[in-house]
Amino acid sequence: MIRRKTQRKAGAEQAVEIKGFDDFELKLGDLMRGERATMGKSLLDVQRELRIKASYIAAIENTDPAAFDTPGFIAGYVRSYARYLNMNPDQAFGAFCLESGFSVAHGMSEQASVVKSPRLSGVPVSKGPRDPFTAPNTPFAPENDGIFSRIEPRAIGSSLVLLLLIGGIGYGGWAVLKEVQQVQVSPVEQVPVVLSDLDPLAGAGAGAFGGGMSAPSAEALDRLYRPQALDVPVLVARDAPISTLDPRSVGTLHAPELPQIQTASLAFGPTAESVPQVVENLAPNLMMVAVRPSWVRVRAADGTVIFEGIMESGQTYEVPATEEPPTLRAGESGAIYFALNGKHYGPVGNRGVVTSKLPLSSEEIAVRYQVADLEQDHDLARMVAEAQTTD
């Protein structure tokens, strides 16, 4: 083992004295920084609240009066900052003057109003390099950015693309406008009409005219210089002036024709007077007659039931005269007849058969059915005989 031997000197052991809190010298800047740290305020916070530059606050904490532009405002700054930190303003300003060697000058003196360099003003200047944390020019504050640092490359690229796009659209519009305004003349194989009428070989054998060319004929020159005929409008004369037209006889104001009044003469001889007929001849009444019991239903054109029930033997029903004929539904078709103009038509159908949707109009009954044969139906013959006997 290698051991290092050291020689002990006599009296090498010295007594180490332990220092207390009061043995250290507390300066004004340390107290102010401690109070500011206790309040949790930064130099920028104090600057916003007291309206004092952060460089001045740092100069007060560093007891550096050379950082102030005007020495006459140092007393007010120190007292305001001490009052902000809940310290005695007078004691703080006295400690500041004691540590920095600053003295208050008269208000009208040259030292109070003129800004001078520390060397000329007599303020002691610390030699050697300054600590950046104690420098009054606030090195912690962000420096001003340069001009080129604020420009982003992506923004430059986007601007260039936008400029190229605008330039391309403008050039395209200019090129299209230039092409539209151009007039191009291309040769056409079709010969003009006037020149086609002229024979290029006509008069070739005639005498020369103007260097071997023949003179054109008078007819060709006449066709060439003749003015073009204008289309003459065709004028069609009216039948009569407008003033002779009667608006009551033509147009929308023309009055409708009145119905003619028919006169009917009384059958009392040739000397009978003619009486005007003011009503229309009524259509013959259509009567429905039942010779045997039968269930019937008469329904109007709109679907409503006009008559419904069982018609007994000898019962009659007069069909109403409507614009649209009603329809009949009979359960016993062989028992229903129609009386029209003193004649009986029918029956509606065969016995035991149901008839539906039969139009009840005089024209339809006369077309569909024939005059009933009394020998075929004894009940009908008996009813007709009874009616004649009653009359």
PDB file of all heavy atoms in Angstrom, residues 4 30 43 71 171-172 184 202 254 258 271 291 316 322 361:
ATOM      1  N   ARG A   4       0.570   8.265   1.749  1.00  0.00           N
ATOM      2  CA  ARG A   4       1.105   9.600   1.599  1.00  0.00           C
ATOM      3  C   ARG A   4       1.272  10.199   3.004  1.00  0.00           C
ATOM      4  O   ARG A   4       0.314  10.309   3.745  1.00  0.00           O
ATOM      5  CB  ARG A   4       0.159  10.480   0.768  1.00  0.00           C
ATOM      6  CG  ARG A   4       0.718  11.842   0.503  1.00  0.00           C
ATOM      7  CD  ARG A   4      -0.242  12.593  -0.372  1.00  0.00           C
ATOM      8  NE  ARG A   4       0.279  13.944  -0.634  1.00  0.00           N
ATOM      9  CZ  ARG A   4      -0.347  14.837  -1.406  1.00  0.00           C
ATOM     10  NH1 ARG A   4      -1.505  14.520  -1.955  1.00  0.00           N
ATOM     11  NH2 ARG A   4       0.200  16.022  -1.592  1.00  0.00           N
ATOM     12  N   ASP A  30     -29.970  44.232  -1.531  1.00  0.00           N
ATOM     13  CA  ASP A  30     -30.380  42.896  -1.087  1.00  0.00           C
ATOM     14  C   ASP A  30     -31.729  42.946  -0.382  1.00  0.00           C
ATOM     15  O   ASP A  30     -32.584  42.060  -0.565  1.00  0.00           O
ATOM     16  CB  ASP A  30     -29.313  42.329  -0.151  1.00  0.00           C
ATOM     17  CG  ASP A  30     -27.959  42.176  -0.854  1.00  0.00           C
ATOM     18  OD1 ASP A  30     -27.985  42.051  -2.106  1.00  0.00           O
ATOM     19  OD2 ASP A  30     -26.923  42.209  -0.180  1.00  0.00           O
ATOM     20  N   LEU A  43     -39.238  42.543 -12.176  1.00  0.00           N
ATOM     21  CA  LEU A  43     -38.941  43.924 -12.549  1.00  0.00           C
ATOM     22  C   LEU A  43     -39.979  44.464 -13.537  1.00  0.00           C
ATOM     23  O   LEU A  43     -40.351  45.640 -13.482  1.00  0.00           O
ATOM     24  CB  LEU A  43     -37.533  44.007 -13.152  1.00  0.00           C
ATOM     25  CG  LEU A  43     -36.384  43.718 -12.179  1.00  0.00           C
ATOM     26  CD1 LEU A  43     -35.050  43.795 -12.904  1.00  0.00           C
ATOM     27  CD2 LEU A  43     -36.377  44.684 -11.005  1.00  0.00           C
ATOM     28  N   PRO A  71     -30.333  63.134 -12.872  1.00  0.00           N
ATOM     29  CA  PRO A  71     -30.100  62.859 -11.439  1.00  0.00           C
ATOM     30  C   PRO A  71     -31.151  63.459 -10.533  1.00  0.00           C
ATOM     31  O   PRO A  71     -31.335  62.979  -9.394  1.00  0.00           O
ATOM     32  CB  PRO A  71     -28.718  63.489 -11.179  1.00  0.00           C
ATOM     33  CG  PRO A  71     -28.073  63.574 -12.519  1.00  0.00           C
ATOM     34  CD  PRO A  71     -29.178  63.824 -13.491  1.00  0.00           C
ATOM     35  N   TYR A 171     -52.183  37.425 -67.959  1.00  0.00           N
ATOM     36  CA  TYR A 171     -51.626  37.142 -69.288  1.00  0.00           C
ATOM     37  C   TYR A 171     -52.617  36.343 -70.137  1.00  0.00           C
ATOM     38  O   TYR A 171     -52.757  36.585 -71.338  1.00  0.00           O
ATOM     39  CB  TYR A 171     -50.311  36.377 -69.132  1.00  0.00           C
ATOM     40  CG  TYR A 171     -49.700  35.965 -70.454  1.00  0.00           C
ATOM     41  CD1 TYR A 171     -49.055  36.902 -71.263  1.00  0.00           C
ATOM     42  CD2 TYR A 171     -49.788  34.644 -70.899  1.00  0.00           C
ATOM     43  CE1 TYR A 171     -48.510  36.531 -72.481  1.00  0.00           C
ATOM     44  CE2 TYR A 171     -49.242  34.275 -72.111  1.00  0.00           C
ATOM     45  CZ  TYR A 171     -48.599  35.218 -72.901  1.00  0.00           C
ATOM     46  OH  TYR A 171     -48.073  34.847 -74.102  1.00  0.00           O
ATOM     47  N   GLY A 172     -53.313  35.383 -69.521  1.00  0.00           N
ATOM     48  CA  GLY A 172     -54.304  34.615 -70.284  1.00  0.00           C
ATOM     49  C   GLY A 172     -55.431  35.497 -70.797  1.00  0.00           C
ATOM     50  O   GLY A 172     -55.855  35.387 -71.951  1.00  0.00           O
ATOM     51  N   GLN A 184     -58.647  37.801 -89.286  1.00  0.00           N
ATOM     52  CA  GLN A 184     -57.876  36.994 -90.224  1.00  0.00           C
ATOM     53  C   GLN A 184     -58.644  36.864 -91.535  1.00  0.00           C
ATOM     54  O   GLN A 184     -59.838  36.570 -91.532  1.00  0.00           O
ATOM     55  CB  GLN A 184     -57.598  35.609 -89.637  1.00  0.00           C
ATOM     56  CG  GLN A 184     -56.776  35.668 -88.354  1.00  0.00           C
ATOM     57  CD  GLN A 184     -56.515  34.291 -87.792  1.00  0.00           C
ATOM     58  OE1 GLN A 184     -56.986  33.293 -88.348  1.00  0.00           O
ATOM     59  NE2 GLN A 184     -55.754  34.239 -86.702  1.00  0.00           N
ATOM     60  N   ALA A 202     -63.604  35.662-123.032  1.00  0.00           N
ATOM     61  CA  ALA A 202     -64.381  36.416-124.018  1.00  0.00           C
ATOM     62  C   ALA A 202     -63.556  37.577-124.539  1.00  0.00           C
ATOM     63  O   ALA A 202     -62.959  38.337-123.776  1.00  0.00           O
ATOM     64  CB  ALA A 202     -65.674  36.927-123.404  1.00  0.00           C
ATOM     65  N   HIS A 254    -119.607  43.031 -78.684  1.00  0.00           N
ATOM     66  CA  HIS A 254    -120.748  42.667 -79.518  1.00  0.00           C
ATOM     67  C   HIS A 254    -121.845  42.051 -78.643  1.00  0.00           C
ATOM     68  O   HIS A 254    -121.601  41.120 -77.862  1.00  0.00           O
ATOM     69  CB  HIS A 254    -120.309  41.677 -80.600  1.00  0.00           C
ATOM     70  CG  HIS A 254    -121.464  41.138 -81.419  1.00  0.00           C
ATOM     71  ND1 HIS A 254    -122.292  41.956 -82.151  1.00  0.00           N
ATOM     72  CD2 HIS A 254    -121.892  39.867 -81.612  1.00  0.00           C
ATOM     73  CE1 HIS A 254    -123.199  41.212 -82.760  1.00  0.00           C
ATOM     74  NE2 HIS A 254    -122.974  39.929 -82.452  1.00  0.00           N
ATOM     75  N   LEU A 258    -130.532  37.985 -79.421  1.00  0.00           N
ATOM     76  CA  LEU A 258    -131.685  37.677 -78.579  1.00  0.00           C
ATOM     77  C   LEU A 258    -132.453  36.503 -79.153  1.00  0.00           C
ATOM     78  O   LEU A 258    -132.536  36.332 -80.375  1.00  0.00           O
ATOM     79  CB  LEU A 258    -132.606  38.898 -78.476  1.00  0.00           C
ATOM     80  CG  LEU A 258    -131.978  40.144 -77.827  1.00  0.00           C
ATOM     81  CD1 LEU A 258    -132.971  41.288 -77.861  1.00  0.00           C
ATOM     82  CD2 LEU A 258    -131.558  39.847 -76.394  1.00  0.00           C
ATOM     83  N   THR A 271    -159.236  32.807 -88.365  1.00  0.00           N
ATOM     84  CA  THR A 271    -159.217  34.168 -87.812  1.00  0.00           C
ATOM     85  C   THR A 271    -158.652  34.223 -86.396  1.00  0.00           C
ATOM     86  O   THR A 271    -158.770  35.224 -85.713  1.00  0.00           O
ATOM     87  CB  THR A 271    -160.641  34.737 -87.804  1.00  0.00           C
ATOM     88  OG1 THR A 271    -161.477  33.896 -87.007  1.00  0.00           O
ATOM     89  CG2 THR A 271    -161.172  34.817 -89.213  1.00  0.00           C
ATOM     90  N   VAL A 291    -146.539  -3.748 -61.965  1.00  0.00           N
ATOM     91  CA  VAL A 291    -147.694  -4.640 -62.123  1.00  0.00           C
ATOM     92  C   VAL A 291    -147.697  -5.727 -61.065  1.00  0.00           C
ATOM     93  O   VAL A 291    -148.733  -6.358 -60.816  1.00  0.00           O
ATOM     94  CB  VAL A 291    -147.693  -5.254 -63.539  1.00  0.00           C
ATOM     95  CG1 VAL A 291    -147.862  -4.144 -64.575  1.00  0.00           C
ATOM     96  CG2 VAL A 291    -146.431  -6.033 -63.801  1.00  0.00           C
ATOM     97  N   THR A 316    -147.474   3.589 -59.024  1.00  0.00           N
ATOM     98  CA  THR A 316    -146.693   4.282 -60.041  1.00  0.00           C
ATOM     99  C   THR A 316    -145.729   5.266 -59.372  1.00  0.00           C
ATOM    100  O   THR A 316    -145.942   5.698 -58.233  1.00  0.00           O
ATOM    101  CB  THR A 316    -147.589   5.047 -61.005  1.00  0.00           C
ATOM    102  OG1 THR A 316    -148.357   6.011 -60.260  1.00  0.00           O
ATOM    103  CG2 THR A 316    -148.534   4.102 -61.739  1.00  0.00           C
ATOM    104  N   THR A 322    -134.426  15.841 -64.474  1.00  0.00           N
ATOM    105  CA  THR A 322    -133.178  16.473 -64.059  1.00  0.00           C
ATOM    106  C   THR A 322    -132.235  16.624 -65.250  1.00  0.00           C
ATOM    107  O   THR A 322    -132.477  16.074 -66.334  1.00  0.00           O
ATOM    108  CB  THR A 322    -132.508  15.651 -62.954  1.00  0.00           C
ATOM    109  OG1 THR A 322    -132.290  14.299 -63.427  1.00  0.00           O
ATOM    110  CG2 THR A 322    -133.387  15.588 -61.705  1.00  0.00           C
ATOM    111  N   SER A 361    -134.416   8.051 -68.722  1.00  0.00           N
ATOM    112  CA  SER A 361    -134.689   9.186 -69.599  1.00  0.00           C
ATOM    113  C   SER A 361    -135.621   8.728 -70.714  1.00  0.00           C
ATOM    114  O   SER A 361    -135.628   7.544 -71.098  1.00  0.00           O
ATOM    115  CB  SER A 361    -133.392   9.753 -70.186  1.00  0.00           C
ATOM    116  OG  SER A 361    -132.748   8.784 -70.985  1.00  0.00           O
TER     117      SER A 361
END
